[in-house]
Amino acid sequence: QVQLVESGGGLVQAGGSLRLSCAASGRTFSSYTMGWFRQAPGKEREFVVAISWSDNTYFADSVKGRFTISRDNAKNTAYLQMNTLKPEDTAVYYCAAARSRGAVRTTEYDYWGQGTQVTVSS
């Protein structure tokens, strides 16, 4: 079992930055692909970015060049650095863990956090 807890969400103006953290329990954190998804009101949950256990990264086109993902296996934590935020980035952001490398679909993820709200004002 892996438990995930997100933090770092909040309200920011357009053009600003936020860093989200995802703290994981369990001794096998380093063997999981860690992903970030988001869900805006009335929309489906969508893939944002992921990092595999070998540090390969995968990005949605909408965030390329603005968001980065990293992980610290010693701290069992994954990070999402979001720069140049736009109002359309407003959503609840979820951290997730998958056993498969390169997972980008929600159905590939085995564990989910409860989410953290990110609101970008114009």
Side-chain angles (χ1 to χ4, degrees):
Q1 285 283 351
V2 176
Q3 292 184 324
L4 304 172
V5 179
E6 303 97 336
S7 62
L11 173 64
V12 63
Q13 288 188 330
S17 298
L18 277 176
R19 187 174 84 153
L20 306 184
S21 299
C22 174
S25 66
R27 296 176 294 175
T28 58
F29 172 81
S30 61
S31 64
Y32 284 88
T33 289
M34 299 302 298
W36 289 93
F37 290 75
R38 66 187 181 187
Q39 188 166 18
K43 295 188 176 181
E44 292 188 354
R45 192 169 298 188
E46 65 174 4
F47 171 75
V48 177
V49 62
I51 184 168
S52 73
W53 58 82
S54 56
D55 287 344
N56 293 104
T57 54
Y58 311 85
F59 294 88
D61 288 342
S62 58
V63 305
K64 281 181 182 176
R66 300 189 298 122
F67 290 13
T68 58
I69 186 171
S70 60
R71 64 190 301 160
D72 185 337
N73 290 334
K75 295 183 178 179
N76 278 12
T77 302
Y79 304 96
L80 176 62
Q81 178 66 44
M82 305 184 292
N83 299 324
T84 320
L85 282 160
K86 304 175 181 180
E88 51 264 43
D89 295 317
T90 295
V92 177
Y93 282 71
Y94 297 90
C95 173
R99 293 184 179 89
S100 58
R101 179 179 173 180
V104 298
R105 294 188 296 267
T106 57
T107 53
E108 295 178 285
Y109 281 79
D110 305 290
Y111 303 101
W112 292 85
Q114 299 211 341
T116 185
Q117 177 70 46
V118 171
T119 303
V120 184
S121 63
S122 57

